[in-house]
Amino acid sequence: MSVLMPQLLRGLTGLTQRLPVQRAQIHSKPPWEQLRTMDVAVGLTSCFLCFLLPSGWVLSHLESYKKRE
């Protein structure tokens, strides 16, 4: 390692300590409409179909992927 490396690292970390941190002004309000049961059911079903079903299919057919034909 170079002799200048510690000085370079100290300079970089000192630079980040001087930068101002911007904080988001987030204010939450109650929703205008409550989610209905059907909305929740549609959302959960679509998440299941999009994410869990393909990964489950791949995991169930993992042995066939390991075989070389």
Side-chain angles (χ1 to χ4, degrees), residues 11-25:
L12 288 175
T13 56
L15 223 169
T16 58
Q17 291 173 355
R18 284 181 257 139
L19 293 175
V21 177
Q22 294 182 357
R23 298 192 185 258
Q25 299 285 330

Side-chain angles (χ1 to χ4, degrees), residues 42-60:
V42 167
L44 290 175
T45 303
S46 63
C47 286
F48 173 76
L49 290 175
C50 291
F51 297 110
L52 297 179
L53 198 63
S55 58
W57 189 86
V58 168
L59 287 174
S60 66

